[in-house]
Amino acid sequence: EPLPPIFASRQRYLQECDSRKNPPRALPIVMGDSPSIVAVGKDLVDSELQSIAAMVQEMQCLERVDLTNNALLTDRGIVPLLKQLAREPVKATLRSLVLSQCIRAASHSMDATVKLLKCTSSLRHLDLSRITIPAQFQLTLCQAVGAHPSMEIVNFAETGFTHHELSKKCFASLLAGKVKSLDISWNNFSGDVFEALGGFVVKSPSLRSLRVANCS
């Protein structure tokens, strides 16, 4: 008989760690204590995250992913995980994705994030703070967030929004949806952008909290 999902995923993780010659990490999800990947400040490297992504293939439920402050991770590790989050049945259970301070995440990670947003309806919290979002993905990403049926909390603080006309289009898309809390602190905005932002805030059907610290 096939192993129950929790044991199958743990076995897959240990096999992947062995094949990649990485020591297993005692993360709560590996120990069976949590339905979430929480690895805040663990200094994970790409091969370790690839092992975790392989484990997700065997899972039926995953509620939260928090990789805050794993500055060594690049697209090579992040993209395989995002692709696994976009598959059935996991994509129907995912509520929160936090990649804050994964400063080496680049264009392929942004592309995979957009694709994930377009295929999952359950996600409510997205945090990409302190990651430079390439200009060519800013509008596409904001449009995907704005069109998402469940997205409520978004953190884009210190993400490199500097192109003023593009920023206006981005915020128009973000605030047209169901976002209740938006943090765009530590981005460089002109007076024109702030004026346009005020108009979008007034018209927003859902916004309750807006953070714009150090955006002058």
Side-chain angles (χ1 to χ4, degrees):
E1 295 183 4
L3 290 171
I6 187 171
F7 295 110
S9 62
R10 186 184 304 168
Q11 183 181 61
R12 178 66 181 274
Y13 174 69
L14 295 174
Q15 290 171 344
E16 292 290 329
C17 287
D18 184 62
S19 68
R20 301 176 192 279
K21 304 192 184 309
N22 289 323
R25 295 280 193 136
L27 300 174
I29 193 168
V30 175
M31 306 304 292
D33 298 330
S34 171
S36 301
I37 298 172
V38 180
V40 177
K42 296 295 185 181
D43 293 324
L44 296 176
V45 297
D46 287 333
S47 58
E48 290 179 302
L49 193 58
Q50 288 166 0
S51 296
I52 293 172
M55 177 179 69
V56 175
Q57 291 183 31
E58 307 295 335
M59 298 178 65
Q60 301 297 310
C61 175
L62 183 60
E63 295 179 359
R64 179 164 65 108
V65 174
D66 190 345
L67 298 176
T68 298
N69 195 22
N70 281 277
L72 300 177
L73 293 175
T74 72
D75 288 353
R76 290 183 61 192
I78 296 171
V79 171
L81 176 62
L82 293 176
K83 287 182 176 180
Q84 289 303 319
L85 298 179
R87 71 164 187 85
E88 295 282 5
V90 169
K91 70 178 185 180
T93 65
L94 185 66
R95 300 290 186 268
S96 175
L97 175 62
V98 181
L99 301 179
S100 177
Q101 302 177 65
C102 292
I103 57 176
R104 298 188 183 185
S107 58
H108 293 295
S109 292
M110 294 304 107
D111 184 52
T113 300
V114 170
K115 290 177 179 176
L116 175 62
L117 287 167
K118 290 180 177 180
C119 77
T120 177
S121 61
S122 61
L123 197 62
R124 288 173 167 77
H125 176 207
L126 177 65
D127 186 342
L128 301 180
S129 59
R130 300 188 67 181
I131 297 175
T132 299
I133 301 174
Q136 66 267 33
F137 284 100
Q138 289 177 359
L139 182 56
T140 304
L141 182 62
C142 290
Q143 288 173 335
V145 170
H148 196 278
S150 304
M151 186 63 64
E152 296 181 349
I153 303 171
V154 177
N155 191 338
F156 284 169
E158 200 173 344
T159 48
F161 282 88
T162 58
H163 297 77
H164 302 318
E165 292 304 316
L166 178 60
S167 294
K168 293 178 186 180
K169 295 178 181 178
C170 288
F171 300 147
S173 296
L174 277 174
L175 297 178
K178 296 189 176 181
V179 174
K180 294 181 179 180
S181 175
L182 176 63
D183 190 340
I184 50 174
S185 302
W186 295 95
N187 289 290
N188 183 19
F189 303 137
S190 65
D192 287 346
V193 172
F194 273 113
E195 183 177 354
L197 180 60
F200 301 145
V201 168
V202 170
K203 295 177 182 179
S204 172
S206 305
L207 191 68
R208 299 292 179 269
S209 173
L210 175 65
R211 295 176 178 86
V212 291
N214 293 284
C215 285
S216 59

